[in-house]
Amino acid sequence: AEQAERAARAERARRRRALEKELARARTDQERAEADLAGATAAEHDGAAALDAVEAELAEMERRRAVAEQELSRAKLARRAAERTVTAARRRAGEVEAAVEALDAEEGDVGSEGGTAD
């Protein structure tokens, strides 16, 4: 009976050592998993912050694009107005030049008829 009791105690001690060893492995695995979770959580936080920064940059670029489009539109309108001004000035210069040529022609006719021109 005593030998059976010692055998039972030895078996319980063996099981206890096996369970304690398994518990140590399980705790190590848990610590590793918790560290992985902390790293993944930090990476997620960093990723969200990076995305926020990119979205802010994108919003700024979109704002700058809108400003540039407005400036381009104003520049196009100014160019068209300048083209119209140039066209009008050329037309006026042509009209004045034609008037000068007509006047020269009249003076030439008068000069050839009158003989001398001042």
Side-chain angles (χ1 to χ4, degrees), residues 27-95:
R27 285 184 175 158
T28 299
D29 291 346
Q30 178 185 350
E31 289 171 4
R32 187 176 302 117
E34 287 174 352
D36 289 347
L37 174 60
T41 300
E44 178 186 16
H45 177 72
D46 292 347
L51 180 60
D52 288 345
V54 168
E55 287 176 346
E57 289 176 32
L58 179 59
E60 173 61 16
M61 294 300 284
E62 288 172 348
R63 185 196 65 76
R64 289 174 51 195
R65 177 184 176 163
V67 168
E69 285 176 344
Q70 289 175 340
E71 290 174 359
L72 176 60
S73 179
R74 282 192 288 272
K76 283 181 179 181
L77 290 173
R79 178 189 49 83
R80 289 181 189 134
E83 286 174 347
R84 287 190 296 275
T85 301
V86 165
T87 300
R90 285 178 181 160
R91 187 179 311 115
R92 179 67 183 139
E95 292 168 355

Side-chain angles (χ1 to χ4, degrees), residues 10-23:
E11 177 61 21
R12 283 194 303 271
R14 185 193 61 74
R15 284 191 325 194
R16 175 175 290 279
R17 282 191 305 273
L19 287 172
E20 285 174 353
K21 192 173 183 179
E22 182 63 27
L23 178 59

